[in-house]
């Protein structure tokens, strides 16, 4: 069992579709993240959940909707996306509390293509 | 403006050569990580440095954190094709804020 698993690995959707990305972490961490990775851009933090509570939402459009039902699962619900939303979406987890070193454990990513 | 600047952005070398990748900022970081990302995969943590001047070695990779904790370098000795990938640095600032550099894409040709 890998530490952080993401499904699906690849997703193609039209602009009117609704789909969801799923992430599960098996590391016992208490924080989970969604990052967007586009060509020629640094990793962009989208959402952070600490202890299942959303603590950051970096001005992400409402067509992206996160859900964290428990500390091991994280979803990203997608609806009416735009072609420029095509990217690799990475889920990560970490253990926060005490001295924060920022170490993240990433999943393999979900490659999203919006037609 | 990017908080962490990585250089070079791209690097193509022959197997056996040495290389150094830099991660620079005007900000002070409490810790800094290096990750490697292979095509179609997520980034994998290589190392964390927390003390100014710290040097860590991971086989043929040597990581250094600047004395002022504003910069870091990654040196690879005798690069191999398996070292090919995107190298990312990330730093923690303001207590619990994390920022990534733009990455260095390395290709090692056999």
């Amino acid at each position: 069992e890998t530490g952080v698993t993401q499904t699906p690995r690849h997703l193609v959707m039209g602009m009117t579709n609704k789909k969801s990305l799923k992430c599960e972490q098996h590391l016992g961490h208490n924080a989970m993240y969604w990052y967007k990775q586009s060509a020629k851009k640094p990793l962009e933090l989208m959402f952070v959940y600490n202890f299942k509570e959303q603590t950051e939402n970096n001005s992400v459009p409402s067509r992206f909707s996160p859900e964290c039902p428990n500390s091991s699962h994280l979803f990203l619900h997608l609806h009416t996306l735009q072609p420029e939303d095509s990217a690799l979406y990475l889920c990560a987890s970490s253990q926060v509390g005490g001295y924060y070193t920022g170490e993240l454990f990433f999943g393999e990513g979900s490659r999203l293509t919006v037609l | 403006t990017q908080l962490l600047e990585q250089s070079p952005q791209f690097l193509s070398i022959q197997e056996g050569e040495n290389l150094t990748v830099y991660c620079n900022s005007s900000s002070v970081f409490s810790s800094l990580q290096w990750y490697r990302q292979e095509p179609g995969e997520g980034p994998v943590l290589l190392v964390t440095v927390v003390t100014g001047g710290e040097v860590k070695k991971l086989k043929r990779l040597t990581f250094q954190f600047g004395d002022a904790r504003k910069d870091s370098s990654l040196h690879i000795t005798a690069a191999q094709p398996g070292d090919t990938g995107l190298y990312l640095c990330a730093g923690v600032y303001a207590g619990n804020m994390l920022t990534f550099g733009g990455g260095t894409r390395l290709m090692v040709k056999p």
Side-chain angles (χ1 to χ4, degrees):
Chain A
E1 230 174 31
T2 55
V4 181
T5 54
Q6 289 186 242
T7 55
R9 294 291 310 277
H10 301 273
L11 179 62
V12 180
M13 58 188 289
M15 290 192 284
T16 58
N17 291 159
K18 288 184 180 181
K19 297 286 184 182
S20 296
L21 306 180
K22 178 184 175 182
C23 177
E24 184 174 358
Q25 61 100 357
H26 309 277
L27 300 169
H29 289 159
N30 56 14
M32 296 186 76
Y33 310 76
W34 280 116
Y35 277 87
K36 177 183 179 182
Q37 188 174 39
S38 308
K40 301 180 182 179
K41 278 187 176 182
L43 276 171
E44 298 174 68
L45 178 64
M46 299 176 73
F47 301 104
V48 181
Y49 278 83
N50 283 344
F51 299 96
K52 302 187 300 177
E53 299 295 322
Q54 184 175 317
T55 56
E56 274 192 60
N57 174 347
N58 281 4
S59 303
V60 179
S62 59
R63 56 186 184 269
F64 295 92
S65 173
E67 179 190 359
C68 187
N70 55 61
S71 58
S72 299
H73 294 85
L74 185 64
F75 296 89
L76 187 62
H77 304 300
L78 317 168
H79 62 98
T80 58
L81 295 191
Q82 305 298 310
E84 60 264 29
D85 296 323
S86 298
L88 182 68
Y89 289 85
L90 290 161
C91 173
S93 71
S94 73
Q95 185 65 24
V96 297
Y99 183 72
Y100 178 59
T101 58
E103 295 173 340
L104 296 174
F105 294 82
F106 285 90
E108 294 175 317
S110 294
R111 172 70 61 186
L112 173 66
T113 302
V114 181
L115 301 176
Chain B
T1 304
Q2 210 168 295
L3 201 57
L4 270 173
E5 297 283 345
Q6 283 190 244
S7 61
Q9 288 185 299
F10 301 96
L11 191 54
S12 180
I13 62 172
Q14 292 296 134
E15 182 176 2
E17 292 183 11
N18 301 333
L19 68 116
T20 302
V21 174
Y22 299 94
C23 179
N24 295 306
S25 176
S26 57
S27 301
V28 176
F29 296 97
S30 56
S31 69
L32 189 140
Q33 295 85 43
W34 284 93
Y35 296 83
R36 179 170 65 215
Q37 184 178 18
E38 298 185 19
E41 304 293 328
V44 175
L45 179 67
L46 296 175
V47 77
T48 296
V49 286
V50 296
T51 305
E54 183 176 3
V55 176
K56 282 191 173 179
K57 292 192 174 184
L58 187 66
K59 296 183 180 178
R60 293 175 293 100
L61 278 61
T62 302
F63 305 86
Q64 184 161 8
F65 202 12
D67 291 341
R69 290 184 289 133
K70 293 182 179 181
D71 54 84
S72 181
S73 64
L74 158 60
H75 182 78
I76 301 179
T77 304
Q80 298 178 0
D83 296 326
T84 293
L86 177 68
Y87 288 81
L88 296 162
C89 65
V92 175
Y93 66 101
N96 62 353
M97 304 296 289
L98 180 69
T99 187
F100 278 85
T104 293
R105 197 165 294 279
L106 171 66
M107 176 173 289
V108 182
K109 301 175 186 176

